[in-house]
Amino acid sequence: MNAELSERELISALATGDVAPEGLAAALAFASPEAPAERGAGSAPVLAPPPRGNSDLLEVAMGPHHPSTHGVFRMDVTLDGERVVRLKPVFGYLHRNHEKIAEQTSYLGSMPYTDRLDYFCSLTNNWAYALAVERLAGLAVPERAEYIRVITAELTRLLNHSCLIGFLTHDMGTMGTPLMYAFREREKILDLFEALTGSRMMCNYMRFGGCRAELPPGWLEQTRSLVDEFPRFLDEFENLLSTNEILLARTQGVGVLTRELAVNAGVTGPMTRASGVNYDIRKVDNYGIYGRFPFRVPLGEHGDVYDRYMVRALEMRESIGILHQALRDIPAGPVIDPKAKLRGFRPKPGEAYGRIEAPKGELGFYLISDGSPNPYRYRVRPPSLINLTILEDMCLGHTVADVVVILGAVDIVLGEVDR
Amino acid sequence: MESLEQIKSWAEAAVPGAGLAIVPNPSPANQPSLLIDPAHAPAVARFLRDDPRLRFDYASNVTGVDWLDTAVKEKVRVKHVLDGVEKEIEETHERKVPGFLEAVYHLYSMALRRGPLVLRQRTGNRLDRVRVASLTPVWRSAEFQEREIYDLYGIVFDGHPDLRRILMWDEFQDHPMRKDYVEPDDYEYEPTPHDEVLAKARRHYPVEAGAA
Amino acid sequence: MNPPPGLGIVKGLVETARNFVGSFHDPARLTTVQYPDERLPAKENARNFPFLVYDGPDSEKGLRCVACKICEKECPPQCIYIILERDANGKPQKHPRVFDLDISVCMSCQICVEVCPFDAIKMDTDYELSRSDRFGGLLLTKAELAKPNDYYRRIHPTEAQEVDARLEEERARAQAKAKPPAAAAKPAAPAQPAPA
Amino acid sequence: MSQPLEQLLVRLKDWLVLQCPPAAQGLVAALIPAAAIVAVFASLFALTTLLERKGLGRLQNRLGPNRVGPFGVLQPLADGLKMLIKEDIVPRDADRLVHLLAPVAMVVPVLLAYAVLPFGQRLVAVNFDAGILFFFAAGATTELAVFMAGWSSRNKYSLLGAMRAIAQMISYEVPLILSAMTAVMAAGSLSLVDIVGSQAGYHWGWLPRWHAFTPWGFAGLLLFTIAATAESNRTPFDIPEGESEIIAGHLVEYSGFKYALFFLGEYLGMFAVSGLGITLFLGGWHAPVPALEWVPSVAWFFAKLFGFIFLFIWLRGTLPRLRTDQLMNFAWKFMVPMVLVNLMVTAVWHFTRSWHFSGAGLWRWLVGALLLAGPYLWLGRALAGGRRFGPRSYHYAS
């Protein structure tokens, strides 16, 4: 009887307007599962409904087959009406134990597997792995290879940030229009990668001590023309999105992340800079030759989804600045250290941790070598997985639509989360 | 950045009774690490994070490592007096050194932009005494990474708020990343042409698997 | 004083309108390539799946591969399978009897091309490889893999030139070395001497 | 204005009615317009699905469907056929009867609403004297159909979608009707034919007397269009079937022909509401320029209808989606006050009709525009400013 009573109270409460319509959903959701069981007595035997925990909450599993989870990823969300009360992310659908495979393959053999980690930015994955092995074995990298690494990494950053903004606005409901503009620009960059490395997304281009192949003729001119045109596309994106009132309403104040929690939770990349933490590994570690290119690091104050969007947009403009300088003064010379051995590479026993500023955050490789051609322990520090640690903290209290937008702004790729 | 010895001395001063040892790292990356005993790990960790001189407020990477039982412990400087000369001889005195599981923490300081400080926690052995102190209460970034180590290596983290398997499904029994892990044999037939893969596949499909 | 409300939306609409109008006259704003009719020219460095190069007319004898199994060891997913050819009394020959490559496992990472000392295996650019049979169909045998050197020269012109120049120069050096000891004119050059 | 071309359709109908026996003439006279409406608007629905996909494609630098028939013209046929032969899955726990009735309850009332729309000169199915009242009464049942679908599917997502749809449609019914009232007040009659009649003729020989060219009319048209977009669940307000959040809202458990029926209902709703907008503010079937008077009036109605359809597609290709609570705030804190202000401006416009000094028209226009611009800016800023929305400036690390 109490189901009807609470229902009548709620409906009257709704009429007086002090309970938002969502409250009605919770009540009706409470009443609905029992109802079919009795009414369905006549038809086929109905399985007893699953035992209901706290009865007026709605457990919804968003994923793994969900249009906006950026891959095979599930969130067990408990809703009070439309408000999120509890959110437990579930991973592992794409887990292929990349690290165990790496322990049974040679150092060189793992390089193509790193393309499959964050399959959006394969060249930065390669660079992080090559940097870690170079630190492990103490290899030197010639000048021209360092320039090529900076150029390809910054091109990957442009590609990743523009596509991320496209996916984020797609989650918000634009029918993929910004996404298609971002993909139009991405195609040009992928053509450059295909001309240089042979494959659009699975580049496998860096080697320990440099890069695999020399720049094909005309590649630098194509890159220069692309980099000159890119600001026009950024302005187009800026006009389309940055002052759009609906986008402002949907993102400002949503999924706020405080500075202290960002640092303590190990959040890195544009997400932590949007919360005002000034930590860009290109400036902190000065790896490669980033010290030679003066560039600025945009910081946000509010740490909400809008700041993450704007920080990525501004970072793209900085990357263009770096690309201009790198393309201007790239020297001639070998692309790989002549002494670098391709096969039978056996670093001395020891361990090393190398990290770079990947578009998604700090991508690190921790290698322990015992002198054999296979690494003893090969560990990937995945920025996507660690940025997800505080997904629940950001989503509590928001609605289902916000959860999707917040997840979109975290920028995860499941290849890297699950490894 | 201060040398590791200095940090060790500060830490021992701050946390009395903390058994700290320095583990050398011969590779050119010269990142030696600091071994802590799990009992005092949270206290040392909190000191490293809050001390104004150090302020390691960012645990970048938490890794699990599996060191197998080694019949020979080359680093063990066991002194044998053999006809008057102190020499370390393996063949005569083979001792089974029990392996252990290890959780390695790479700490950085975002405030003072300091390089990696590597902390190591070791378990008793690889079978039953596999408990280690969880540093998630100190650094929230260790939460998922410690769950992954629990899932793939089997190190139990005391004090972890939500220790569950993160990558494998919950009913999975074994710990796949251990060196002595044997793959289950419910193997879907994939005709990779290689011998041991083919042989294994043939055991499942004796009739149908023709010669490559 | 931030702008009047609704201006951001209008600016966005103007932007998409420019793209809508642009798609009729500006080729940059219409990026569709209608695949079976129009095809994008393959990039010169493009790589898809490996193939074996053979010089001269006969694909059996002209095969450059000497079955040294370096690529089989170095291949990360282990998708190459080589059985050495042995003649009647078991003396190993300088060819593979079986050279299987499982393209369902191969991830086209071209490490085999890098490590092959004899330039015997190169990356193809043909991507229309759909087969009806999931198991046997994707296991390419030596016969299906072997392709002539001028096919290689056609898909990767500059790379092929360098390789041919290097092989030519190696062959010349080998013949020069073989001629002084006036041994039987079987040059010890690893590659088959058939003129390219 | 009895050009021969103009009255072709009307004379055709009269000729057909005369053909059949007198007893059935009354029935046939009613059936012909009904059959015409269903045929024309169902094929317009098919055409619009193609236009939508090609328009979205062009907005996104791609072609859109062009493989089925020349330029993809047969694509709607293919979609329709696909929908027909797809399996119609009904969830076991569903309430079968309500699950079956929901799409029917969606389509039939919307078709009723077409009875009162004047498509051309003397081309209206039923000339009600309270036409607009009938239109809103018939159009209001779509909420019921949406909730029937959501409730009967017994699925969490569909329930959330149904709840959102109810909240949205109730909130936007009010501004829709009130913004339509401005045209009724100006024309002084509830009958759509009279409203279109009051918009005949031209100011100074070239500016048509459409309501849209008056300040309150222009504001009314904007508010009406916004409310119409929300009524027909189109993009800035397509929250009930927010794909990226709760998949297809109340349509989650529908497949096959019932799913197609729902879309038919949604598109017909869109055409009906934009048809009403044309009738109230854009002079129904009147020609915009005196020189083009010879073109049959039906063509003008459908030209303006295609203008509205393109606007909806354009909005769909550009704007992100609002959240449910923002939708509510926007409806109750911006739309309803603005519509009330607009009613007041219509009254001011009506009572200043007697100003005849030179430049009176311009002065009346200015007064009306100012009376509207003030609240617009203040309300807009209050809605946005209240939560400190707005572009931000970013500093760089030292």
Side-chain angles (χ1 to χ4, degrees):
Chain A
M1 212 6 230
N2 68 347
E4 277 66 32
L5 199 63
S6 68
E7 202 169 324
R8 196 177 310 115
E9 281 155 14
L10 258 171
I11 289 177
S12 60
L14 179 68
T16 55
D18 57 14
V19 165
E22 292 89 350
L24 182 61
L28 295 180
F30 164 72
S32 68
E34 280 76 16
E38 298 109 17
R39 194 175 306 147
S43 62
V46 175
L47 300 176
R52 294 297 297 242
N54 186 330
S55 57
D56 61 357
L57 297 182
L58 198 64
E59 272 100 20
V60 175
M62 284 173 71
H65 183 64
H66 190 279
S68 59
T69 47
H70 299 266
V72 209
F73 166 75
R74 184 175 107 229
M75 292 181 280
D76 289 344
V77 187
T78 311
L79 297 174
D80 168 12
E82 286 236 0
R83 294 266 164 267
V84 172
V85 173
R86 197 177 69 92
L87 183 140
K88 283 286 171 265
V90 177
F91 320 100
Y93 292 95
L94 202 57
H95 176 58
R96 56 224 186 262
N97 217 332
H98 164 70
E99 293 163 359
K100 185 100 179 168
I101 295 171
E103 280 173 13
Q104 288 144 8
T105 334
S106 68
Y107 282 88
L108 174 66
S110 290
M111 183 59 88
Y113 285 110
T114 56
D115 296 332
R116 273 83 180 166
L117 275 175
D118 172 0
Y119 40 76
F120 241 80
C121 333
S122 76
L123 278 159
T124 39
N125 299 340
N126 291 353
W127 189 1
Y129 179 50
L131 190 73
V133 173
E134 277 149 17
R135 224 169 248 180
L136 181 70
L139 302 175
V141 178
E143 276 297 296
R144 188 174 172 86
E146 286 288 5
Y147 273 87
I148 295 179
R149 283 182 172 180
V150 166
I151 293 170
T152 47
E154 290 313 316
L155 281 175
T156 314
R157 204 180 307 280
L158 290 184
L159 176 141
N160 179 65
H161 285 340
S162 56
C163 286
L164 181 270
I165 292 173
F167 285 123
L168 180 63
T169 47
H170 188 73
D171 290 347
M172 268 184 254
T174 53
M175 281 302 140
T177 311
L179 187 61
M180 283 303 147
Y181 297 160
F183 272 10
R184 177 188 70 206
E185 299 307 317
R186 176 170 178 256
E187 285 309 314
K188 296 176 192 157
I189 296 178
L190 290 188
D191 288 346
L192 284 178
F193 286 165
E194 185 174 11
L196 175 65
T197 68
S199 162
R200 293 157 49 86
M201 286 174 71
M202 301 296 156
C203 300
N204 181 16
Y205 178 61
M206 310 276 182
R207 288 293 176 268
F208 315 129
C211 300
R212 164 164 57 85
E214 175 52 67
L215 299 180
W219 192 82
L220 281 178
E221 283 65 34
Q222 278 171 12
T223 317
R224 285 196 186 93
S225 64
L226 177 123
V227 169
D228 297 341
E229 265 168 40
F230 211 82
R232 193 166 53 79
F233 155 71
L234 284 183
D235 302 338
E236 192 180 292
F237 240 39
E238 206 79 14
N239 288 340
L240 184 59
L241 296 171
S242 292
T243 54
N244 187 325
E245 276 75 10
I246 299 179
L247 185 122
L248 297 183
R250 278 299 296 277
T251 53
Q252 296 201 340
V254 170
V256 178
L257 178 62
T258 59
R259 272 176 68 99
E260 299 69 29
L261 183 58
V263 169
N264 194 280
V267 174
T268 51
M271 254 186 84
T272 190
R273 289 191 284 279
S275 302
V277 178
N278 172 12
Y279 196 72
D280 183 332
I281 298 171
R282 294 176 290 181
K283 292 278 186 187
V284 172
D285 276 8
N286 247 320
Y287 61 91
I289 45 170
Y290 273 108
R292 299 190 196 153
F293 308 119
F295 65 96
R296 301 175 301 180
V297 175
L299 295 177
E301 292 106 30
H302 308 273
D304 52 14
V305 171
Y306 187 75
D307 271 4
R308 288 176 205 135
Y309 155 76
M310 278 308 288
V311 161
R312 287 188 172 98
L314 296 171
E315 254 180 36
M316 280 204 275
R317 292 186 189 273
E318 294 308 318
S319 295
I320 291 172
I322 297 176
L323 278 167
H324 273 305
Q325 300 165 49
L327 287 168
R328 190 187 58 225
D329 42 31
I330 178 169
V335 279
I336 189 155
D337 179 359
K339 302 193 299 306
K341 276 159 54 105
L342 202 56
R343 294 177 52 233
F345 172 70
R346 294 166 180 271
K348 293 190 293 303
E351 57 169 56
Y353 178 68
R355 59 178 195 159
I356 69 161
E357 177 67 29
K360 291 186 170 48
E362 172 195 322
L363 173 63
F365 279 81
Y366 173 52
L367 301 167
I368 300 181
S369 149
D370 58 356
S372 72
N374 297 358
Y376 183 80
R377 173 69 170 110
Y378 167 103
R379 150 80 176 161
V380 180
R381 190 256 184 209
S384 302
L385 175 70
I386 294 165
N387 291 351
L388 274 179
T389 317
I390 30 91
L391 181 65
E392 179 171 28
D393 304 58
M394 292 193 289
C395 288
L396 287 185
H398 287 287
T399 67
V400 177
D402 290 336
V403 167
V404 169
V405 172
I406 293 167
L407 178 67
V410 172
D411 187 6
I412 61 167
V413 163
L414 264 296
E416 184 175 62
V417 167
D418 289 348
R419 284 179 314 284
Chain B
M1 161 162 161
E2 292 82 0
S3 74
L4 198 56
E5 287 70 19
Q6 204 166 16
I7 296 177
K8 176 164 134 27
S9 56
W10 283 343
E12 269 157 358
V15 178
L20 296 173
I22 290 187
V23 177
N25 170 16
S27 91
N30 68 37
Q31 293 165 347
S33 42
L34 201 62
L35 177 63
I36 339 177
D37 61 300
H40 296 82
V44 170
R46 207 158 280 114
F47 163 72
L48 289 176
R49 186 191 60 179
D50 301 338
D51 181 77
R53 290 164 300 181
L54 297 169
R55 285 173 59 80
F56 282 105
D57 46 15
Y58 165 46
S60 147
N61 181 18
V62 185
T63 320
V65 187
D66 172 15
W67 300 95
L68 280 174
D69 306 345
T70 46
V72 164
K73 191 69 180 150
E74 32 325 5
K75 278 199 287 297
V76 169
R77 283 173 296 287
V78 171
K79 295 193 178 40
H80 291 278
V81 177
L82 202 62
D83 48 50
V85 172
E86 265 186 24
K87 189 146 52 53
E88 182 187 291
I89 307 166
E90 281 85 12
E91 67 280 13
T92 58
H93 182 59
E94 226 178 62
R95 195 166 41 78
K96 246 191 145 10
V97 175
F100 49 85
L101 299 170
E102 195 177 50
V104 184
Y105 294 78
H106 285 79
L107 308 178
Y108 283 85
S109 163
M110 277 197 183
L112 308 174
R113 302 212 165 197
R114 286 285 171 61
L117 168 69
V118 187
L119 291 188
R120 283 183 132 74
Q121 281 188 76
R122 287 180 177 163
T123 62
N125 61 21
R126 295 183 67 252
L127 302 171
D128 45 8
R129 298 193 351 259
V130 282
R131 307 194 75 82
V132 157
S134 158
L135 299 185
T136 305
V138 181
W139 293 292
R140 180 75 190 287
S141 64
E143 183 187 346
F144 281 179
Q145 301 179 69
E146 281 177 350
R147 274 178 64 187
E148 185 180 335
I149 297 173
Y150 165 70
D151 185 356
L152 301 183
Y153 279 91
I155 305 179
V156 176
F157 287 87
D158 302 336
H160 190 282
D162 170 22
L163 199 60
R164 286 180 286 125
R165 284 190 180 268
I166 188 168
L167 290 177
M168 308 302 281
W169 58 97
D170 293 341
E171 298 77 24
F172 188 76
Q173 290 314 327
D174 206 339
H175 301 292
M177 274 300 279
R178 287 201 180 185
K179 292 286 181 183
D180 49 10
Y181 170 72
V182 177
E183 236 173 51
D185 209 10
D186 51 2
Y187 198 81
E188 191 199 321
Y189 171 65
E190 272 299 334
T192 37
H194 276 274
D195 31 30
E196 82 278 1
V197 168
L198 215 51
K200 190 182 224 183
R202 280 212 186 97
R203 276 208 306 281
H204 284 272
Y205 300 89
V207 175
E208 183 248 349
Chain C
M1 214 282 280
N2 49 22
L7 186 66
I9 293 178
V10 169
K11 252 198 302 183
L13 287 169
V14 163
E15 205 50 53
T16 38
R18 179 179 305 135
N19 273 294
F20 182 81
V21 171
S23 70
F24 289 101
H25 57 80
D26 175 1
R29 294 209 185 267
L30 188 64
T31 53
T32 321
V33 172
Q34 316 209 22
Y35 166 61
D37 327 326
E38 308 158 8
R39 286 167 188 256
L40 278 178
K43 298 281 178 306
E44 214 222 294
N45 281 346
R47 51 182 159 91
N48 199 0
F49 286 108
F51 70 98
L52 293 172
V53 185
Y54 66 86
D55 303 321
D58 174 7
S59 78
E60 265 304 309
K61 281 198 294 302
L63 211 58
R64 285 187 186 162
C65 173
V66 292
C68 63
K69 297 200 179 183
I70 288 179
C71 56
E72 182 180 359
K73 274 194 288 299
E74 287 298 323
C75 172
Q78 303 287 316
C79 66
I80 298 176
Y81 185 50
I82 300 173
I83 299 176
L84 190 61
E85 170 102 63
R86 291 184 184 284
D87 65 1
N89 40 35
K91 193 163 82 59
Q93 299 294 33
K94 281 249 180 279
H95 321 251
R97 178 164 56 82
V98 163
F99 188 107
D100 282 357
L101 195 142
D102 187 341
I103 55 172
S104 73
V105 173
C106 169
M107 57 180 176
S108 70
C109 64
Q110 66 87 46
I111 281 184
C112 49
V113 173
E114 265 182 272
V115 296
C116 175
F118 303 99
D119 296 310
I121 188 166
K122 292 297 172 191
M123 295 307 274
D124 202 341
T125 52
D126 169 23
Y127 51 82
E128 277 136 353
L129 297 163
S130 50
R131 293 281 196 289
S132 56
D133 163 18
R134 197 166 76 88
F135 290 104
L138 292 177
L139 192 65
L140 299 185
T141 58
K142 182 173 68 172
E144 289 162 329
L145 283 169
K147 289 196 170 123
N149 191 16
D150 41 35
Y151 170 79
Y152 173 47
R153 210 175 289 123
R154 194 155 30 86
I155 49 173
H156 298 304
T158 46
E159 197 186 319
Q161 242 102 35
E162 284 152 23
V163 166
D164 287 351
R166 190 152 31 85
L167 284 180
E168 209 53 47
E169 177 234 310
E170 253 171 42
R171 210 167 290 131
R173 216 174 334 100
Q175 263 157 3
K177 189 151 48 56
K179 203 173 282 65
K186 173 117 183 37
Q192 295 317 312
Chain D
M1 288 208 295
S2 62
Q3 300 86 339
L5 212 57
E6 174 70 44
Q7 291 317 312
L8 188 64
L9 288 172
V10 179
R11 284 214 305 283
L12 180 65
K13 175 195 154 194
D14 297 344
W15 177 77
L16 274 175
V17 168
L18 290 178
Q19 295 315 314
C20 49
Q25 272 182 355
L27 181 65
V28 166
L31 272 183
I32 289 173
I37 287 174
V38 169
V40 163
F41 280 97
S43 56
L44 189 62
F45 157 67
L47 183 65
T48 311
T49 51
L50 174 67
L51 281 182
E52 175 127 35
R53 290 176 60 180
K54 283 202 90 69
L56 276 183
R58 285 287 173 175
L59 284 173
Q60 299 169 356
N61 301 331
R62 52 186 175 83
L63 278 178
N66 61 357
R67 289 298 162 92
V68 186
F71 301 107
V73 168
L74 298 182
Q75 183 70 33
L77 206 64
D79 289 349
L81 203 59
K82 178 192 78 175
M83 279 302 173
L84 278 177
I85 50 179
K86 266 217 173 143
E87 188 202 358
D88 186 359
I89 301 162
V90 179
R92 188 182 56 228
D93 287 348
D95 185 336
R96 286 187 186 290
L97 184 61
V98 176
H99 195 265
L100 177 70
L101 274 184
V104 176
M106 182 81 168
V107 171
V108 167
V110 174
L111 279 175
L112 283 184
Y114 281 93
V116 286
L117 283 180
F119 303 111
Q121 205 173 354
R122 283 207 305 283
L123 246 183
V124 59
V126 174
N127 184 359
F128 265 136
D129 48 8
I132 194 161
L133 193 62
F134 173 79
F135 182 91
F136 285 128
T141 52
T142 45
E143 288 105 347
L144 182 67
V146 162
F147 190 68
M148 276 164 69
W151 166 266
S152 68
S153 312
R154 285 295 181 285
N155 167 318
K156 292 192 185 93
Y157 283 136
S158 68
L159 198 59
L160 279 179
M163 287 317 305
R164 289 179 173 189
I166 295 282
Q168 170 179 333
M169 286 182 176
I170 291 173
S171 319
Y172 280 90
E173 201 72 25
V174 173
L176 188 75
I177 295 174
L178 286 179
S179 60
M181 282 312 110
T182 51
V184 168
M185 272 167 59
S189 143
L190 276 174
S191 154
L192 290 176
V193 176
D194 298 355
I195 293 175
V196 168
S198 75
Q199 297 177 51
Y202 300 88
H203 292 296
W204 312 302
W206 55 275
L207 181 65
R209 288 184 190 285
W210 295 351
H211 289 152
F213 293 122
T214 63
W216 59 269
F218 181 70
L221 177 63
L222 280 184
L223 293 170
F224 185 87
T225 316
I226 294 174
T229 331
E231 269 303 304
S232 53
N233 294 350
R234 290 295 298 188
T235 271
F237 309 96
D238 63 348
I239 289 155
E241 3 97 17
E243 291 77 23
S244 58
E245 293 125 22
I246 43 169
I247 321 296
H250 52 282
L251 301 179
V252 151
E253 292 297 347
Y254 279 88
S255 57
F257 192 61
K258 286 192 213 153
Y259 191 76
L261 263 185
F262 261 105
F263 267 83
L264 176 65
E266 192 190 306
Y267 276 90
L268 288 180
M270 185 175 83
F271 300 150
V273 163
S274 37
L276 183 68
I278 293 165
T279 317
L280 294 177
F281 297 102
L282 292 173
W285 40 265
H286 283 294
V289 177
L292 292 174
E293 284 280 331
W294 53 272
V295 174
S297 56
V298 182
W300 290 119
F301 182 85
F302 279 97
K304 294 170 192 166
L305 188 59
F306 276 112
F308 260 87
I309 290 173
F310 177 71
L311 173 71
F312 282 127
I313 295 173
W314 189 11
L315 283 177
R316 181 162 186 220
T318 314
L319 297 180
R321 187 181 301 125
L322 272 172
R323 223 181 28 218
T324 320
D325 51 328
Q326 288 160 353
L327 182 88
M328 297 302 150
N329 285 342
F330 185 68
W332 296 104
K333 290 184 185 156
F334 179 80
M335 293 285 282
V336 170
M338 272 311 292
V339 162
L340 297 177
V341 165
N342 199 13
L343 280 177
M344 196 265 290
V345 167
T346 323
V348 164
W349 179 271
H350 182 66
F351 289 114
T352 56
R353 215 173 50 260
S354 57
W355 290 0
H356 283 305
F357 51 85
S358 71
L362 196 64
W363 265 102
R364 286 169 71 202
W365 227 95
L366 269 181
V367 165
L370 277 178
L371 280 176
L372 275 169
Y376 171 72
L377 287 176
W378 179 67
L379 278 171
R381 198 124 317 124
L383 186 68
R387 276 182 225 84
R388 286 170 318 288
F389 288 164
R392 296 178 179 155
S393 65
Y394 285 85
H395 70 279
Y396 290 88
S398 52

